[in-house]
Short mmCIF file of all heavy atoms in Angstrom, two decimals:
data_model
loop_
_atom_site.label_atom_id
_atom_site.label_comp_id
_atom_site.label_asym_id
_atom_site.label_seq_id
_atom_site.Cartn_x
_atom_site.Cartn_y
_atom_site.Cartn_z
N MET M 1158 -3.83 -17.16 6.47
CA MET M 1158 -3.14 -16.04 6.45
C MET M 1158 -3.89 -14.90 5.73
O MET M 1158 -4.55 -15.17 4.72
CB MET M 1158 -1.72 -16.16 5.85
CG MET M 1158 -0.96 -14.96 5.77
SD MET M 1158 0.79 -15.17 5.32
CE MET M 1158 1.67 -14.56 6.83
N ASN M 1159 -3.56 -13.68 6.16
CA ASN M 1159 -4.11 -12.55 5.51
C ASN M 1159 -3.47 -12.12 4.27
O ASN M 1159 -2.33 -12.61 3.94
CB ASN M 1159 -3.99 -11.36 6.57
CG ASN M 1159 -4.65 -10.21 6.23
OD1 ASN M 1159 -5.00 -9.94 5.09
ND2 ASN M 1159 -4.93 -9.33 7.19
N THR M 1160 -3.99 -11.38 3.34
CA THR M 1160 -3.58 -10.92 2.26
C THR M 1160 -2.35 -9.99 2.54
O THR M 1160 -2.51 -9.13 3.41
CB THR M 1160 -4.53 -10.08 1.35
OG1 THR M 1160 -5.66 -10.95 0.96
CG2 THR M 1160 -4.02 -9.49 0.09
N MET M 1161 -1.21 -10.10 1.86
CA MET M 1161 0.00 -9.29 2.04
C MET M 1161 0.12 -8.39 0.89
O MET M 1161 0.00 -8.72 -0.24
CB MET M 1161 1.21 -10.25 2.21
CG MET M 1161 1.13 -11.22 3.40
SD MET M 1161 1.11 -10.47 4.93
CE MET M 1161 2.82 -9.76 5.04
N LEU M 1162 0.53 -7.16 1.15
CA LEU M 1162 0.76 -6.15 0.22
C LEU M 1162 2.36 -5.96 0.23
O LEU M 1162 2.93 -5.65 1.22
CB LEU M 1162 0.03 -4.88 0.63
CG LEU M 1162 -1.35 -4.97 0.81
CD1 LEU M 1162 -1.95 -3.54 1.14
CD2 LEU M 1162 -2.10 -5.49 -0.50
N PHE M 1163 2.97 -6.11 -0.97
CA PHE M 1163 4.34 -6.08 -1.14
C PHE M 1163 4.84 -4.69 -1.79
O PHE M 1163 4.18 -4.33 -2.88
CB PHE M 1163 4.81 -7.26 -1.94
CG PHE M 1163 6.34 -7.22 -2.21
CD1 PHE M 1163 7.22 -7.63 -1.17
CD2 PHE M 1163 6.88 -6.92 -3.52
CE1 PHE M 1163 8.67 -7.70 -1.54
CE2 PHE M 1163 8.17 -6.91 -3.67
CZ PHE M 1163 9.14 -7.25 -2.82
N PHE M 1164 5.84 -4.18 -1.22
CA PHE M 1164 6.49 -2.89 -1.81
C PHE M 1164 7.96 -3.15 -1.94
O PHE M 1164 8.60 -3.57 -0.93
CB PHE M 1164 6.22 -1.84 -0.91
CG PHE M 1164 4.67 -1.51 -0.60
CD1 PHE M 1164 4.14 -2.21 0.52
CD2 PHE M 1164 3.97 -0.72 -1.34
CE1 PHE M 1164 2.90 -2.13 0.82
CE2 PHE M 1164 2.64 -0.55 -1.02
CZ PHE M 1164 2.09 -1.19 0.07
N ASN M 1165 8.63 -2.66 -3.00
CA ASN M 1165 10.04 -2.77 -3.16
C ASN M 1165 10.45 -1.48 -4.04
O ASN M 1165 9.91 -1.26 -5.04
CB ASN M 1165 10.38 -4.00 -4.04
CG ASN M 1165 11.89 -4.08 -4.24
OD1 ASN M 1165 12.72 -3.25 -3.93
ND2 ASN M 1165 12.32 -5.29 -4.77
N ASN M 1166 11.41 -0.77 -3.51
CA ASN M 1166 11.75 0.46 -4.21
C ASN M 1166 12.99 0.26 -5.13
O ASN M 1166 13.43 1.26 -5.58
CB ASN M 1166 12.10 1.61 -3.18
CG ASN M 1166 13.34 1.36 -2.45
OD1 ASN M 1166 14.11 0.56 -2.54
ND2 ASN M 1166 13.69 2.38 -1.58
N GLY M 1167 13.45 -0.94 -5.23
CA GLY M 1167 14.63 -1.10 -6.10
C GLY M 1167 16.01 -0.92 -5.58
O GLY M 1167 16.95 -1.08 -6.18
N ASN M 1168 15.99 -0.47 -4.31
CA ASN M 1168 17.23 -0.12 -3.54
C ASN M 1168 17.44 -1.03 -2.37
O ASN M 1168 17.98 -0.63 -1.44
CB ASN M 1168 17.35 1.24 -3.25
CG ASN M 1168 17.40 2.14 -4.37
OD1 ASN M 1168 18.14 1.96 -5.36
ND2 ASN M 1168 16.69 3.38 -4.26
N GLU M 1169 16.99 -2.27 -2.54
CA GLU M 1169 17.15 -3.16 -1.43
C GLU M 1169 16.33 -2.88 -0.29
O GLU M 1169 16.55 -3.30 0.85
CB GLU M 1169 18.53 -3.50 -1.06
CG GLU M 1169 19.33 -4.07 -2.18
CD GLU M 1169 20.38 -5.03 -1.77
OE1 GLU M 1169 20.29 -5.49 -0.63
OE2 GLU M 1169 21.21 -5.53 -2.63
N ASP M 1170 15.30 -1.98 -0.50
CA ASP M 1170 14.35 -1.65 0.56
C ASP M 1170 12.92 -2.31 0.15
O ASP M 1170 12.50 -1.94 -0.86
CB ASP M 1170 14.14 -0.21 0.77
CG ASP M 1170 15.32 0.48 1.53
OD1 ASP M 1170 15.92 -0.19 2.29
OD2 ASP M 1170 15.44 1.75 1.28
N ALA M 1171 12.52 -3.20 0.90
CA ALA M 1171 11.26 -3.86 0.60
C ALA M 1171 10.57 -4.22 1.95
O ALA M 1171 11.15 -4.27 2.99
CB ALA M 1171 11.51 -5.21 -0.12
N ALA M 1172 9.22 -4.32 1.74
CA ALA M 1172 8.39 -4.62 2.91
C ALA M 1172 7.13 -5.30 2.43
O ALA M 1172 6.72 -5.03 1.32
CB ALA M 1172 8.07 -3.38 3.69
N ALA M 1173 6.50 -6.07 3.32
CA ALA M 1173 5.14 -6.66 3.09
C ALA M 1173 4.42 -6.39 4.31
O ALA M 1173 4.81 -6.60 5.42
CB ALA M 1173 5.17 -8.04 2.70
N PHE M 1174 3.10 -5.92 4.18
CA PHE M 1174 2.24 -5.72 5.35
C PHE M 1174 0.96 -6.32 5.04
O PHE M 1174 0.57 -6.50 3.83
CB PHE M 1174 1.90 -4.12 5.49
CG PHE M 1174 3.27 -3.21 5.67
CD1 PHE M 1174 3.87 -2.67 4.70
CD2 PHE M 1174 3.63 -3.11 6.94
CE1 PHE M 1174 5.01 -1.91 4.84
CE2 PHE M 1174 4.80 -2.43 7.27
CZ PHE M 1174 5.48 -1.77 6.29
N GLN M 1175 0.24 -6.65 6.14
CA GLN M 1175 -1.02 -7.28 5.99
C GLN M 1175 -2.06 -6.24 5.53
O GLN M 1175 -2.13 -5.13 6.12
CB GLN M 1175 -1.48 -7.94 7.34
CG GLN M 1175 -0.68 -9.07 7.73
CD GLN M 1175 -1.28 -9.78 8.95
OE1 GLN M 1175 -2.35 -9.45 9.39
NE2 GLN M 1175 -0.60 -10.80 9.38
N ALA M 1176 -2.88 -6.65 4.54
CA ALA M 1176 -3.87 -5.69 4.11
C ALA M 1176 -4.96 -5.22 5.14
O ALA M 1176 -5.25 -4.14 5.12
CB ALA M 1176 -4.60 -6.30 2.91
N ASP M 1177 -5.26 -6.08 6.12
CA ASP M 1177 -6.08 -5.72 7.13
C ASP M 1177 -5.48 -4.65 8.07
O ASP M 1177 -6.29 -4.03 8.83
CB ASP M 1177 -6.45 -6.99 8.03
CG ASP M 1177 -7.44 -7.79 7.28
OD1 ASP M 1177 -8.02 -7.40 6.26
OD2 ASP M 1177 -7.74 -9.01 7.70
N ASP M 1178 -4.14 -4.42 8.06
CA ASP M 1178 -3.48 -3.40 8.93
C ASP M 1178 -3.49 -2.10 8.20
O ASP M 1178 -3.06 -1.06 8.82
CB ASP M 1178 -2.11 -3.79 9.24
CG ASP M 1178 -2.09 -5.02 10.13
OD1 ASP M 1178 -3.17 -5.31 10.83
OD2 ASP M 1178 -0.97 -5.75 10.14
N LEU M 1179 -4.06 -1.96 6.98
CA LEU M 1179 -4.09 -0.72 6.30
C LEU M 1179 -5.18 0.23 6.94
O LEU M 1179 -6.32 -0.17 7.00
CB LEU M 1179 -4.37 -0.87 4.84
CG LEU M 1179 -4.40 0.39 3.91
CD1 LEU M 1179 -3.21 1.18 3.97
CD2 LEU M 1179 -5.00 0.10 2.49
N VAL M 1180 -4.88 1.31 7.52
CA VAL M 1180 -5.75 2.15 8.21
C VAL M 1180 -6.07 3.51 7.44
O VAL M 1180 -7.19 4.05 7.70
CB VAL M 1180 -5.25 2.51 9.59
CG1 VAL M 1180 -5.20 1.24 10.49
CG2 VAL M 1180 -3.89 3.26 9.63
N ALA M 1181 -5.25 3.85 6.45
CA ALA M 1181 -5.53 5.20 5.81
C ALA M 1181 -4.69 5.24 4.44
O ALA M 1181 -3.56 4.62 4.38
CB ALA M 1181 -5.26 6.30 6.61
N ILE M 1182 -5.20 5.88 3.51
CA ILE M 1182 -4.55 6.23 2.15
C ILE M 1182 -4.76 7.76 2.13
O ILE M 1182 -5.88 8.25 2.09
CB ILE M 1182 -5.03 5.56 1.08
CG1 ILE M 1182 -4.93 3.95 1.26
CG2 ILE M 1182 -4.37 5.93 -0.17
CD1 ILE M 1182 -5.60 3.25 0.11
N ASP M 1183 -3.62 8.53 1.93
CA ASP M 1183 -3.81 9.89 1.61
C ASP M 1183 -2.80 10.33 0.46
O ASP M 1183 -1.86 9.62 0.20
CB ASP M 1183 -3.67 10.79 2.77
CG ASP M 1183 -2.18 10.77 3.40
OD1 ASP M 1183 -1.32 11.22 2.88
OD2 ASP M 1183 -2.07 10.05 4.50
N ALA M 1184 -3.25 11.35 -0.28
CA ALA M 1184 -2.45 11.64 -1.40
C ALA M 1184 -2.40 13.18 -1.60
O ALA M 1184 -3.18 13.86 -1.19
CB ALA M 1184 -3.15 11.00 -2.69
N GLY M 1185 -1.37 13.60 -2.45
CA GLY M 1185 -1.08 15.00 -2.78
C GLY M 1185 0.28 15.24 -3.21
O GLY M 1185 1.17 14.33 -2.75
N ASN M 1186 0.51 16.09 -3.98
CA ASN M 1186 1.93 16.50 -4.35
C ASN M 1186 2.68 15.35 -5.03
O ASN M 1186 3.91 15.13 -4.76
CB ASN M 1186 2.65 17.03 -3.12
CG ASN M 1186 2.13 18.39 -2.72
OD1 ASN M 1186 1.58 19.19 -3.50
ND2 ASN M 1186 2.11 18.58 -1.41
N ASP M 1187 2.01 14.53 -5.78
CA ASP M 1187 2.61 13.47 -6.66
C ASP M 1187 3.08 12.34 -5.72
O ASP M 1187 3.95 11.58 -6.17
CB ASP M 1187 3.71 14.03 -7.58
CG ASP M 1187 3.23 15.09 -8.37
OD1 ASP M 1187 1.91 14.97 -8.78
OD2 ASP M 1187 3.97 16.04 -8.82
N VAL M 1188 2.49 12.13 -4.59
CA VAL M 1188 2.91 10.94 -3.72
C VAL M 1188 1.54 10.43 -3.20
O VAL M 1188 0.60 11.26 -2.85
CB VAL M 1188 3.93 11.19 -2.57
CG1 VAL M 1188 5.24 11.63 -3.17
CG2 VAL M 1188 3.37 12.20 -1.62
N VAL M 1189 1.54 9.15 -2.87
CA VAL M 1189 0.52 8.46 -2.14
C VAL M 1189 1.02 7.79 -0.88
O VAL M 1189 2.02 7.14 -1.03
CB VAL M 1189 -0.27 7.45 -3.05
CG1 VAL M 1189 -1.27 6.68 -2.23
CG2 VAL M 1189 -0.83 8.05 -4.32
N ASN M 1190 0.49 8.07 0.18
CA ASN M 1190 1.00 7.54 1.54
C ASN M 1190 -0.10 6.49 1.92
O ASN M 1190 -1.27 6.77 2.03
CB ASN M 1190 0.94 8.61 2.51
CG ASN M 1190 1.94 9.71 2.14
OD1 ASN M 1190 3.20 9.48 2.07
ND2 ASN M 1190 1.36 10.81 1.91
N LEU M 1191 0.51 5.28 2.32
CA LEU M 1191 -0.38 4.24 2.78
C LEU M 1191 0.17 3.97 4.23
O LEU M 1191 1.26 3.84 4.48
CB LEU M 1191 -0.14 2.92 1.94
CG LEU M 1191 -0.76 2.96 0.60
CD1 LEU M 1191 0.19 3.49 -0.32
CD2 LEU M 1191 -1.32 1.51 0.22
N HIS M 1192 -0.86 4.00 5.19
CA HIS M 1192 -0.55 3.89 6.65
C HIS M 1192 -1.03 2.53 7.12
O HIS M 1192 -2.17 2.24 6.98
CB HIS M 1192 -1.18 5.04 7.38
CG HIS M 1192 -0.76 6.34 6.84
ND1 HIS M 1192 0.54 7.02 7.01
CD2 HIS M 1192 -1.40 7.30 5.98
CE1 HIS M 1192 0.59 8.11 6.43
NE2 HIS M 1192 -0.51 8.27 5.74
N PHE M 1193 -0.13 1.80 7.77
CA PHE M 1193 -0.41 0.52 8.25
C PHE M 1193 -0.20 0.62 9.83
O PHE M 1193 0.76 1.08 10.23
CB PHE M 1193 0.45 -0.50 7.79
CG PHE M 1193 0.32 -0.74 6.29
CD1 PHE M 1193 1.08 0.03 5.35
CD2 PHE M 1193 -0.49 -1.69 5.73
CE1 PHE M 1193 1.00 -0.11 4.02
CE2 PHE M 1193 -0.78 -1.81 4.37
CZ PHE M 1193 0.04 -1.04 3.58
N GLN M 1194 -1.13 0.07 10.60
CA GLN M 1194 -1.00 0.03 12.06
C GLN M 1194 -1.16 -1.38 12.62
O GLN M 1194 -2.20 -2.08 12.21
CB GLN M 1194 -1.98 0.98 12.75
CG GLN M 1194 -1.70 1.00 14.28
CD GLN M 1194 -2.31 2.21 14.91
OE1 GLN M 1194 -3.02 3.01 14.20
NE2 GLN M 1194 -1.93 2.44 16.14
N ARG M 1195 -0.19 -1.94 13.26
CA ARG M 1195 -0.22 -3.22 13.98
C ARG M 1195 0.08 -2.90 15.42
O ARG M 1195 1.16 -2.65 15.78
CB ARG M 1195 0.81 -4.06 13.39
CG ARG M 1195 0.81 -5.45 13.79
CD ARG M 1195 -0.08 -6.32 13.00
NE ARG M 1195 0.09 -7.74 13.16
CZ ARG M 1195 -0.85 -8.61 12.80
NH1 ARG M 1195 -1.95 -8.07 12.53
NH2 ARG M 1195 -0.64 -9.82 13.02
N GLY M 1196 -0.96 -3.07 16.18
CA GLY M 1196 -0.87 -2.68 17.61
C GLY M 1196 -0.67 -1.17 17.71
O GLY M 1196 -1.30 -0.48 17.16
N SER M 1197 0.39 -0.83 18.47
CA SER M 1197 0.79 0.58 18.59
C SER M 1197 1.71 1.03 17.65
O SER M 1197 2.15 2.20 17.73
CB SER M 1197 1.25 0.80 20.02
OG SER M 1197 2.55 0.09 20.25
N VAL M 1198 2.19 0.21 16.78
CA VAL M 1198 3.25 0.53 15.77
C VAL M 1198 2.57 0.95 14.38
O VAL M 1198 1.71 0.31 13.87
CB VAL M 1198 4.23 -0.64 15.52
CG1 VAL M 1198 5.17 -0.29 14.46
CG2 VAL M 1198 4.87 -1.12 16.77
N LEU M 1199 3.02 2.24 13.96
CA LEU M 1199 2.49 2.76 12.83
C LEU M 1199 3.58 2.76 11.72
O LEU M 1199 4.64 3.29 12.01
CB LEU M 1199 1.91 4.14 13.05
CG LEU M 1199 1.38 4.87 11.73
CD1 LEU M 1199 0.09 4.19 11.25
CD2 LEU M 1199 1.10 6.31 12.04
N HIS M 1200 3.33 2.16 10.51
CA HIS M 1200 4.29 2.23 9.43
C HIS M 1200 3.69 2.99 8.31
O HIS M 1200 2.49 2.92 8.08
CB HIS M 1200 4.62 0.84 8.96
CG HIS M 1200 5.13 -0.04 9.96
ND1 HIS M 1200 6.58 -0.03 10.18
CD2 HIS M 1200 4.70 -1.00 10.76
CE1 HIS M 1200 6.87 -0.98 11.06
NE2 HIS M 1200 5.73 -1.53 11.46
N SER M 1201 4.48 3.71 7.53
CA SER M 1201 4.00 4.41 6.36
C SER M 1201 4.72 4.05 5.20
O SER M 1201 6.02 3.97 5.30
CB SER M 1201 4.09 5.91 6.62
OG SER M 1201 3.16 6.43 7.63
N VAL M 1202 4.04 3.86 4.04
CA VAL M 1202 4.72 3.58 2.74
C VAL M 1202 4.35 4.72 1.84
O VAL M 1202 3.21 5.09 1.70
CB VAL M 1202 4.21 2.29 2.11
CG1 VAL M 1202 4.78 2.05 0.74
CG2 VAL M 1202 4.64 1.20 3.09
N VAL M 1203 5.45 5.38 1.23
CA VAL M 1203 5.26 6.55 0.28
C VAL M 1203 5.47 5.98 -1.14
O VAL M 1203 6.47 5.45 -1.37
CB VAL M 1203 6.21 7.57 0.67
CG1 VAL M 1203 5.90 8.86 -0.38
CG2 VAL M 1203 6.01 8.15 2.10
N LEU M 1204 4.46 6.22 -1.86
CA LEU M 1204 4.60 5.82 -3.44
C LEU M 1204 4.53 7.07 -4.18
O LEU M 1204 3.72 7.98 -4.15
CB LEU M 1204 3.40 5.00 -3.83
CG LEU M 1204 3.02 3.81 -3.16
CD1 LEU M 1204 1.68 3.19 -3.55
CD2 LEU M 1204 4.15 2.76 -3.34
N ALA M 1205 5.70 7.30 -5.04
CA ALA M 1205 5.78 8.41 -5.95
C ALA M 1205 4.93 8.01 -7.11
O ALA M 1205 4.81 6.81 -7.58
CB ALA M 1205 7.23 8.61 -6.32
N CYS M 1206 4.35 9.07 -7.80
CA CYS M 1206 3.58 8.76 -8.97
C CYS M 1206 3.66 9.82 -9.95
O CYS M 1206 4.32 10.90 -9.68
CB CYS M 1206 2.18 8.49 -8.64
SG CYS M 1206 1.28 9.88 -7.83
N ALA M 1207 3.04 9.76 -11.14
CA ALA M 1207 3.24 10.69 -12.31
C ALA M 1207 2.61 12.05 -11.72
O ALA M 1207 1.72 12.06 -10.91
CB ALA M 1207 2.52 10.14 -13.39
N ASP M 1208 3.07 12.97 -12.40
CA ASP M 1208 2.62 14.47 -12.11
C ASP M 1208 1.08 14.55 -12.17
O ASP M 1208 0.56 14.19 -13.24
CB ASP M 1208 3.26 15.36 -13.08
CG ASP M 1208 3.01 16.80 -12.77
OD1 ASP M 1208 2.76 17.17 -11.58
OD2 ASP M 1208 3.11 17.58 -13.60
N GLY M 1209 0.49 14.93 -11.06
CA GLY M 1209 -0.94 15.23 -11.10
C GLY M 1209 -1.75 13.82 -10.92
O GLY M 1209 -2.99 13.97 -11.14
N ALA M 1210 -1.17 12.73 -10.63
CA ALA M 1210 -1.96 11.44 -10.69
C ALA M 1210 -2.13 10.98 -9.27
O ALA M 1210 -2.64 9.89 -9.16
CB ALA M 1210 -1.19 10.50 -11.55
N SER M 1211 -1.53 11.63 -8.25
CA SER M 1211 -1.82 10.99 -6.89
C SER M 1211 -3.22 10.81 -6.54
O SER M 1211 -3.55 9.74 -5.83
CB SER M 1211 -1.01 11.88 -5.83
OG SER M 1211 -1.54 13.21 -5.84
N ASP M 1212 -4.15 11.64 -6.83
CA ASP M 1212 -5.51 11.45 -6.44
C ASP M 1212 -6.15 10.21 -7.13
O ASP M 1212 -6.83 9.47 -6.61
CB ASP M 1212 -6.39 12.71 -6.77
CG ASP M 1212 -6.33 13.11 -8.17
OD1 ASP M 1212 -5.42 12.76 -8.89
OD2 ASP M 1212 -7.26 13.91 -8.49
N LEU M 1213 -5.81 10.08 -8.43
CA LEU M 1213 -6.25 8.82 -9.13
C LEU M 1213 -5.72 7.58 -8.55
O LEU M 1213 -6.40 6.56 -8.48
CB LEU M 1213 -5.93 8.95 -10.59
CG LEU M 1213 -6.58 10.22 -11.36
CD1 LEU M 1213 -6.09 10.29 -12.79
CD2 LEU M 1213 -8.11 10.10 -11.34
N LEU M 1214 -4.43 7.64 -8.24
CA LEU M 1214 -3.71 6.44 -7.68
C LEU M 1214 -4.34 6.06 -6.35
O LEU M 1214 -4.66 4.90 -6.16
CB LEU M 1214 -2.26 6.63 -7.64
CG LEU M 1214 -1.45 5.40 -7.00
CD1 LEU M 1214 -1.65 4.18 -7.87
CD2 LEU M 1214 -0.02 5.72 -6.96
N ALA M 1215 -4.56 7.07 -5.57
CA ALA M 1215 -5.17 6.74 -4.17
C ALA M 1215 -6.49 6.17 -4.30
O ALA M 1215 -6.77 5.12 -3.67
CB ALA M 1215 -5.18 8.06 -3.42
N ARG M 1216 -7.34 6.69 -5.32
CA ARG M 1216 -8.67 6.11 -5.50
C ARG M 1216 -8.59 4.77 -6.07
O ARG M 1216 -9.31 3.78 -5.47
CB ARG M 1216 -9.42 6.93 -6.51
CG ARG M 1216 -10.90 6.49 -6.72
CD ARG M 1216 -11.54 7.34 -7.75
NE ARG M 1216 -12.98 6.89 -7.85
CZ ARG M 1216 -13.42 5.80 -8.37
NH1 ARG M 1216 -12.67 4.83 -8.76
NH2 ARG M 1216 -14.69 5.57 -8.40
N GLU M 1217 -7.75 4.40 -7.05
CA GLU M 1217 -7.73 3.08 -7.53
C GLU M 1217 -7.24 2.13 -6.49
O GLU M 1217 -7.69 0.89 -6.37
CB GLU M 1217 -6.84 3.06 -8.70
CG GLU M 1217 -7.29 3.69 -9.95
CD GLU M 1217 -8.51 3.06 -10.40
OE1 GLU M 1217 -8.68 1.77 -10.46
OE2 GLU M 1217 -9.60 3.76 -10.65
N LEU M 1218 -6.21 2.50 -5.65
CA LEU M 1218 -5.79 1.65 -4.52
C LEU M 1218 -6.87 1.35 -3.55
O LEU M 1218 -7.10 0.24 -3.21
CB LEU M 1218 -4.50 2.21 -3.80
CG LEU M 1218 -3.22 2.08 -4.61
CD1 LEU M 1218 -2.22 3.04 -3.88
CD2 LEU M 1218 -2.76 0.70 -4.77
N ALA M 1219 -7.66 2.36 -3.25
CA ALA M 1219 -8.71 2.25 -2.27
C ALA M 1219 -9.74 1.17 -2.79
O ALA M 1219 -10.25 0.28 -2.12
CB ALA M 1219 -9.34 3.51 -1.98
N VAL M 1220 -10.13 1.25 -4.17
CA VAL M 1220 -11.11 0.51 -4.73
C VAL M 1220 -10.61 -0.91 -4.76
O VAL M 1220 -11.19 -1.93 -4.39
CB VAL M 1220 -11.34 0.92 -6.09
CG1 VAL M 1220 -12.16 -0.11 -6.94
CG2 VAL M 1220 -12.18 2.23 -5.99
N GLU M 1221 -9.33 -1.14 -5.27
CA GLU M 1221 -8.70 -2.49 -5.41
C GLU M 1221 -8.56 -3.20 -4.06
O GLU M 1221 -8.76 -4.35 -3.92
CB GLU M 1221 -7.44 -2.47 -6.14
CG GLU M 1221 -7.60 -2.20 -7.58
CD GLU M 1221 -8.54 -3.22 -8.38
OE1 GLU M 1221 -8.41 -4.44 -8.16
OE2 GLU M 1221 -9.41 -2.77 -9.09
N LEU M 1222 -8.01 -2.46 -3.12
CA LEU M 1222 -7.72 -3.01 -1.76
C LEU M 1222 -8.89 -3.30 -0.96
O LEU M 1222 -8.80 -3.98 0.09
CB LEU M 1222 -6.62 -2.18 -1.06
CG LEU M 1222 -5.38 -2.11 -1.77
CD1 LEU M 1222 -4.34 -1.16 -1.15
CD2 LEU M 1222 -4.72 -3.46 -2.01
N SER M 1223 -10.03 -2.65 -1.18
CA SER M 1223 -11.24 -2.82 -0.34
C SER M 1223 -12.12 -4.04 -0.93
O SER M 1223 -13.07 -4.40 -0.28
CB SER M 1223 -12.11 -1.62 -0.42
OG SER M 1223 -12.64 -1.37 -1.75
N GLY M 1224 -11.68 -4.66 -1.97
CA GLY M 1224 -12.45 -5.71 -2.58
C GLY M 1224 -12.30 -7.00 -1.79
O GLY M 1224 -11.29 -7.35 -1.28
N SER M 1225 -13.35 -7.75 -1.75
CA SER M 1225 -13.37 -9.01 -1.14
C SER M 1225 -12.60 -10.16 -1.81
O SER M 1225 -12.38 -11.26 -1.30
CB SER M 1225 -14.75 -9.50 -0.83
OG SER M 1225 -15.43 -9.72 -1.99
N LYS M 1226 -12.15 -9.85 -3.08
CA LYS M 1226 -11.49 -10.82 -3.77
C LYS M 1226 -10.02 -10.98 -3.37
O LYS M 1226 -9.39 -12.02 -3.73
CB LYS M 1226 -11.55 -10.57 -5.33
CG LYS M 1226 -10.85 -9.21 -5.62
CD LYS M 1226 -10.93 -8.82 -7.18
CE LYS M 1226 -10.40 -7.37 -7.33
NZ LYS M 1226 -10.58 -7.03 -8.61
N LEU M 1227 -9.54 -10.05 -2.52
CA LEU M 1227 -8.24 -10.19 -2.05
C LEU M 1227 -8.13 -10.99 -0.69
O LEU M 1227 -7.86 -10.40 0.27
CB LEU M 1227 -7.78 -8.69 -1.71
CG LEU M 1227 -7.57 -7.86 -2.99
CD1 LEU M 1227 -7.05 -6.43 -2.57
CD2 LEU M 1227 -6.65 -8.43 -3.97
N ARG M 1228 -8.32 -12.32 -0.74
CA ARG M 1228 -8.12 -13.02 0.42
C ARG M 1228 -7.09 -13.99 0.23
O ARG M 1228 -6.97 -14.79 -0.85
CB ARG M 1228 -9.40 -13.68 0.73
CG ARG M 1228 -10.42 -12.80 1.34
CD ARG M 1228 -10.02 -12.31 2.71
NE ARG M 1228 -10.87 -11.16 3.10
CZ ARG M 1228 -10.36 -10.10 3.57
NH1 ARG M 1228 -9.11 -10.05 3.78
NH2 ARG M 1228 -11.04 -9.14 4.00
N ASN M 1229 -6.22 -14.11 1.30
CA ASN M 1229 -5.10 -15.21 1.19
C ASN M 1229 -4.22 -15.13 -0.10
O ASN M 1229 -4.00 -16.13 -0.83
CB ASN M 1229 -5.65 -16.56 1.27
CG ASN M 1229 -6.48 -16.74 2.61
OD1 ASN M 1229 -6.08 -16.28 3.57
ND2 ASN M 1229 -7.56 -17.41 2.59
N ALA M 1230 -3.75 -13.85 -0.41
CA ALA M 1230 -3.06 -13.70 -1.65
C ALA M 1230 -1.92 -12.65 -1.26
O ALA M 1230 -1.69 -12.15 -0.12
CB ALA M 1230 -3.83 -12.89 -2.63
N MET M 1231 -0.97 -12.56 -2.13
CA MET M 1231 0.08 -11.58 -2.09
C MET M 1231 -0.12 -10.58 -3.28
O MET M 1231 -0.23 -10.99 -4.41
CB MET M 1231 1.48 -12.23 -2.19
CG MET M 1231 2.60 -11.23 -1.71
SD MET M 1231 3.25 -10.13 -2.98
CE MET M 1231 3.94 -11.09 -4.24
N VAL M 1232 -0.28 -9.34 -2.97
CA VAL M 1232 -0.49 -8.33 -3.98
C VAL M 1232 0.83 -7.44 -4.11
O VAL M 1232 1.26 -6.85 -3.08
CB VAL M 1232 -1.78 -7.38 -3.58
CG1 VAL M 1232 -1.84 -6.30 -4.64
CG2 VAL M 1232 -2.94 -8.26 -3.41
N GLU M 1233 1.34 -7.39 -5.28
CA GLU M 1233 2.58 -6.63 -5.48
C GLU M 1233 1.98 -5.18 -5.89
O GLU M 1233 1.63 -4.88 -6.97
CB GLU M 1233 3.35 -7.13 -6.66
CG GLU M 1233 4.78 -6.63 -6.78
CD GLU M 1233 5.56 -7.34 -7.83
OE1 GLU M 1233 5.20 -7.40 -9.01
OE2 GLU M 1233 6.54 -7.96 -7.43
N VAL M 1234 2.13 -4.25 -4.95
CA VAL M 1234 1.76 -2.88 -5.16
C VAL M 1234 2.83 -2.08 -5.92
O VAL M 1234 2.42 -1.28 -6.74
CB VAL M 1234 1.36 -2.28 -3.75
CG1 VAL M 1234 0.90 -0.78 -3.99
CG2 VAL M 1234 0.30 -3.08 -3.08
N ALA M 1235 3.95 -2.14 -5.45
CA ALA M 1235 5.14 -1.45 -6.15
C ALA M 1235 6.33 -2.31 -6.09
O ALA M 1235 6.64 -2.93 -5.18
CB ALA M 1235 5.44 -0.13 -5.29
N ASN M 1236 7.06 -2.28 -7.29
CA ASN M 1236 8.26 -3.09 -7.36
C ASN M 1236 9.08 -2.40 -8.49
O ASN M 1236 8.89 -2.61 -9.69
CB ASN M 1236 8.03 -4.52 -7.73
CG ASN M 1236 9.28 -5.37 -7.63
OD1 ASN M 1236 10.32 -4.88 -7.51
ND2 ASN M 1236 9.02 -6.67 -7.77
N ASP M 1237 10.03 -1.59 -8.01
CA ASP M 1237 10.97 -0.95 -8.93
C ASP M 1237 12.09 -1.79 -9.27
O ASP M 1237 12.95 -1.53 -9.93
CB ASP M 1237 11.48 0.44 -8.26
CG ASP M 1237 10.36 1.37 -8.06
OD1 ASP M 1237 9.38 1.23 -8.79
OD2 ASP M 1237 10.51 2.29 -7.25
#
């Protein structure tokens, strides 16, 4: 199985997506958007972050999620 990325907003909304389905990360205005595509279905996850930190968070996520060490694991990206 592929590495799964887990997200939970603390309001009973949670999702896990395969890391290989991550097609883009974009950031601005104190949010980071992660876009996942599986076939023709596109999902987006929006992460709120500290004032002025969206560019740093996007970079850190890109670095961490592009590493080869993430195989057959579950990565908790956000859990409120």
Side-chain angles (χ1 to χ4, degrees):
M1158 178 174 244
N1159 188 337
T1160 298
M1161 299 296 291
L1162 305 178
F1163 177 76
F1164 305 88
N1165 180 355
N1166 75 356
N1168 293 321
E1169 301 220 8
D1170 285 332
F1174 297 97
Q1175 289 188 8
D1177 285 349
D1178 292 339
L1179 180 64
V1180 294
I1182 299 173
D1183 62 72
N1186 298 324
D1187 304 327
V1188 297
V1189 174
N1190 300 293
L1191 290 89
H1192 306 282
F1193 298 88
Q1194 186 159 7
R1195 185 88 161 155
S1197 63
V1198 179
L1199 181 66
H1200 297 277
S1201 294
V1202 175
V1203 179
L1204 302 174
C1206 58
D1208 188 26
S1211 56
D1212 58 337
L1213 296 173
L1214 178 58
R1216 183 184 187 290
E1217 288 300 314
L1218 285 169
V1220 167
E1221 290 299 317
L1222 297 177
S1223 66
S1225 61
K1226 63 184 175 187
L1227 296 178
R1228 288 289 165 232
N1229 300 320
M1231 194 280 292
V1232 177
E1233 191 171 63
V1234 177
N1236 191 352
D1237 294 339

